[in-house]
Amino acid sequence: MEYRPLGRTGISVSELCLGAMMFGAAGNPDHDESIRIIHRALDAGINMIDTADVYSFGESEEIVGKALAGGLRDDVVLATKVGLPWDDRPGRGGTSRRWITRSVEASLRRLGTDRINLYQIHRLDPATDLEETLGALTDLRAQGKIRAFGASTVPASGIVEAQWVAQRRGLGRFRTEQPPYNILTREIESDVLPTAQRYGMGVLTYSPLAMGWLTGRYRAGMQAPDSGRAHVFPGRFDPALPANRRKLEATEALAVLADESGLSLIEMAIAFVLRHPAVTSAIIGPRTMDHLESQLPAADVRLSTEVLDRIDEIVPPGVTLNPEADNMSFSSALEPANRRR
């Protein structure tokens, strides 16, 4: 397992990060099995775990906390997030000082720790001034409750604005960005990744397997598997949509390329993400031990220039095949219409 600097935070993290979104009621409700998956990831050399307060409404954080009890905490770079709403009641989400201050205490309690290595804004809140958000995070860092802070799914313009506000107001700045990135969703190559590099930010990418598209489960001539994700995000999986047919065609070509290269499609997909010079770590989110075991070998894969060129022929750089469903979702998840979804 290779370790890389997380931007200019002074923290080194493994090139694979264990995402904990699938631990708990929303994925794997078996706490003991989830803990075994976490321990297996740590044994394989992964030293970073990424979760969020809203993942299974706090249950994910509780599972991670139990897994790290007994002396493992000091060896792990622990990241969590704040900002997405817990329900439709006013004040139960966002990035105000009040909500951040309240939420970090709850996360610390569930995680069973006295500090969080990386505290991330899950989505920027258009209803809260950036100065208030950055001010609250800066104070938490001064108090020792968090070591560094970052954000997730911020467009390049938002990254620049946040850096500008921090500089002008003498506040701490976002040190990391967490965007979606995979072979089928490459738009961040055009602006987000270069912007993050310009500011020396660490980049933790999520969804390297494109919500299952790059696992081999979706193939031509096969009935699409029934999944919770397909019900929640029908636009990303409906085979009747032309954009998804393009994704299916690309997946078929990528599967052939992976086979010719002596790799599984999963290994090639994750290795592709790790190959970009702006990417610090790829977040993998296994639900089962088999999922984890199928993804770990990608850390040892180094794609050749020839393979990368062929991937570019299948999905050109900077292109997202289904931009309406798979884009960065820059519109705030805090808005009422998105809460209803």
Side-chain angles (χ1 to χ4, degrees):
M1 186 74 64
E2 178 182 317
Y3 298 87
R4 302 172 176 178
L6 184 61
R8 297 172 186 160
T9 63
I11 302 171
S12 293
V13 298
S14 50
E15 59 188 335
L16 293 181
C17 170
L18 181 65
M21 186 176 72
M22 301 307 294
F23 300 150
N28 188 339
D30 188 327
H31 285 209
D32 290 337
E33 183 182 4
S34 297
I35 289 170
R36 285 193 293 271
I37 293 171
I38 293 171
H39 288 169
R40 171 68 181 104
L42 298 180
D43 289 342
I46 291 177
N47 78 335
M48 186 174 193
I49 300 176
D50 177 80
T51 184
D53 58 356
V54 295
Y55 292 166
S56 295
F57 296 101
E59 189 180 2
S60 172
E61 289 184 328
E62 292 173 355
I63 292 171
V64 171
K66 288 193 289 187
L68 299 183
L72 294 177
R73 171 66 186 93
D74 289 342
D75 297 324
V76 171
V77 178
L78 188 54
T80 191
K81 309 181 199 71
V82 62
L84 290 187
W86 283 60
D87 51 47
D88 285 331
R89 287 179 290 173
R92 296 274 291 174
T95 59
S96 67
R97 174 178 289 273
R98 170 192 167 276
W99 185 249
I100 290 174
T101 302
R102 176 179 174 179
S103 297
V104 74
E105 296 295 345
S107 288
L108 288 168
R109 183 175 62 254
R110 288 189 292 264
L111 291 165
T113 186
D114 61 354
R115 80 280 185 199
I116 294 165
N117 299 94
L118 178 64
Y119 200 44
Q120 301 159 100
I121 298 301
H122 216 147
R123 295 292 187 275
L124 289 180
D125 179 6
T128 303
D129 193 275
L130 261 175
E131 183 176 353
E132 175 165 342
T133 300
L134 293 174
L137 294 170
T138 300
D139 289 346
L140 290 178
R141 187 183 63 185
Q143 295 164 14
K145 294 179 180 180
I146 65 176
R147 179 171 176 182
F149 52 88
S152 176
T153 319
V154 180
S157 59
I159 293 174
V160 173
E161 181 183 5
Q163 297 287 326
W164 181 86
V165 170
Q167 181 180 18
R168 290 293 298 269
R169 303 303 184 190
L171 300 170
R173 63 190 183 91
F174 289 139
R175 295 289 182 175
T176 62
E177 165 60 17
Q178 186 179 135
Y181 182 46
N182 56 67
I183 297 176
L184 305 179
T185 309
R186 302 183 60 176
E187 66 181 276
I188 66 169
E189 294 172 340
S190 299
D191 50 12
V192 170
L193 292 181
T195 302
Q197 281 185 300
R198 186 178 310 128
Y199 288 106
M201 300 172 69
V203 176
L204 309 165
T205 60
Y206 69 89
S207 196
L209 300 178
M211 298 187 75
W213 277 91
L214 298 175
T215 63
R217 298 178 68 202
Y218 299 87
R219 301 295 301 273
M222 295 174 55
Q223 183 175 357
D226 187 33
S227 70
R229 286 177 173 176
H231 293 294
V232 177
F233 304 105
R236 298 186 179 189
F237 299 95
D238 185 355
L241 297 177
N244 288 334
R245 288 199 293 271
R246 290 195 294 271
K247 287 167 62 174
L248 187 59
E249 293 169 0
T251 301
E252 285 295 310
L254 291 167
V256 171
L257 175 58
D259 187 60
E260 292 175 352
S261 303
L263 302 169
S264 70
L265 181 56
I266 290 173
E267 292 167 354
M268 187 177 78
I270 297 174
F272 166 83
V273 172
L274 294 175
R275 187 66 161 73
H276 197 288
V279 172
T280 306
S281 186
I283 300 173
I284 57 174
R287 180 174 54 83
T288 67
M289 187 68 77
D290 287 343
H291 290 168
L292 176 65
E293 296 293 354
S294 70
Q295 296 171 38
L296 286 174
D300 297 323
V301 174
R302 298 294 180 265
L303 299 182
S304 66
T305 300
E306 179 184 359
V307 170
L308 291 170
D309 287 343
R310 290 186 61 185
I311 290 174
D312 287 349
E313 293 173 0
I314 297 169
V315 182
V319 169
T320 291
L321 294 183
N322 187 353
E324 291 188 3
D326 296 335
N327 63 12
M328 290 279 288
S329 300
F330 289 137
S331 61
S332 174
L334 298 165
E335 295 174 0
N338 292 323
R339 287 205 302 268
R340 286 193 292 273
R341 286 198 292 271

